[in-house]
Amino acid sequence: MDVGNRDNMILPVPPEPFALIVGAAMQGAPDSALETSLRHMGLQPEPVRADNPDGAARIAAPCFRLTFGAVSVLAGPAAEAALDMADPEHPSTSLLAASLSPRWRDHGACWIFIPEPGEAPGTPTRMREFFKMMVLLIDLFDASHIFWSPARLWSDAPQFRASVAEMLASGMPPVLHLVAFRRQESDTGASMGTRGLVLFSGQELEARIPGGWTVAEMVRRLSRLALDMMLNGPVRDDRTMRGLEAGEWIDLSPRAASGNLRSTVVVEFGRDA
């Protein structure tokens, strides 16, 4: 990986939409009460119409524009299209220690937040404010779960909040909450790949699962590699590095993107003879 500025870590990338399962105290509240609660959190709510195609397709009434520092998002109850995208039963959706209520699709139970373009969408300051806004919203809505759309990943909202708070204090990104690790089967055997890492490093990871290894062992190793890429940048060249255990090695081979395929780093694990 390239050695980068730690202050920039995962920050110079545009934010993406996310969704929250709203706590009971906020569900069914009148629009005026919602607006007051948002205002008390310093989010400067402005009732608007979701006129852009993306917002109109994903947000049901009411729709607010929320502002925190340099960050502006459209927010409101998730429309059917957004709920379909976040369906936890869909094979492409991942869950991290998350079990959603059967009523998660009820009107007002799930809110979606869509960042609007800013003057400097990739600056570290704006990204920090984006994540700070996410923390405020989790607190305000007493959210139980959060859906991070780039990884199609549901996770526990309080755990996500704690991980983001740690990131803002120490600079360590919440890898498991922002990147999905998915096991796949093929004619050549089992493998595991990431989804959502490309947003932060421009690359995904893909690795064959060695015989006898568990999913937990693979996630432990790939999450370490993902963290390195988020902090230090993409893998530019083929390289071999030490693994987590004595005598273990890792081969990394970046593969250029072609067509609609994203750039991938092929990972091979091995041990000294």
Side-chain angles (χ1 to χ4, degrees), residues 118-248:
E119 293 182 3
T123 62
T125 297
R126 188 169 188 266
M127 280 302 296
R128 289 190 185 95
E129 290 174 345
F130 175 69
F131 280 104
K132 287 178 181 177
M133 175 184 272
M134 293 174 75
V135 168
L136 288 175
L137 290 167
I138 289 172
D139 289 345
L140 172 63
F141 285 96
D142 190 24
S144 60
H145 298 81
I146 183 169
F147 179 76
W148 179 242
S149 60
R152 293 186 62 94
L153 176 64
W154 279 108
S155 58
D156 179 85
Q159 290 181 11
F160 181 91
R161 184 202 185 285
S163 295
V164 169
E166 173 64 22
M167 178 191 72
L168 294 172
S170 69
M172 299 300 288
V175 176
L176 296 179
H177 297 282
L178 299 175
V179 177
F181 297 85
R182 295 177 58 82
R183 189 180 191 275
Q184 298 178 334
E185 297 284 350
S186 68
D187 294 339
T188 58
S191 65
M192 179 172 287
T194 60
R195 184 175 57 210
L197 179 60
V198 69
L199 180 70
F200 304 105
S201 68
Q203 295 172 320
E204 300 286 4
L205 291 168
E206 182 179 305
R208 180 184 61 84
I209 302 177
W213 283 29
T214 65
V215 168
E217 288 173 319
M218 288 294 293
V219 170
R220 183 175 169 224
R221 287 160 172 81
L222 290 182
S223 61
R224 174 201 173 199
L225 293 173
L227 178 61
D228 283 345
M229 293 164 67
M230 289 169 121
L231 290 172
N232 300 317
V235 179
R236 303 288 187 187
D237 306 295
D238 292 354
R239 64 185 60 192
T240 300
M241 57 189 296
R242 293 184 182 275
L244 287 178
E245 299 180 357
E248 182 181 313

Side-chain angles (χ1 to χ4, degrees), residues 87-126:
D87 187 352
E89 300 298 326
H90 195 282
S92 66
T93 303
S94 300
L95 292 90
L96 174 67
S99 179
L100 275 65
S101 164
R103 301 179 63 87
W104 76 278
R105 290 186 70 120
D106 289 359
H107 179 71
C110 181
W111 273 49
I112 188 166
F113 304 85
I114 304 174
E116 296 185 295
E119 293 182 3
T123 62
T125 297
R126 188 169 188 266

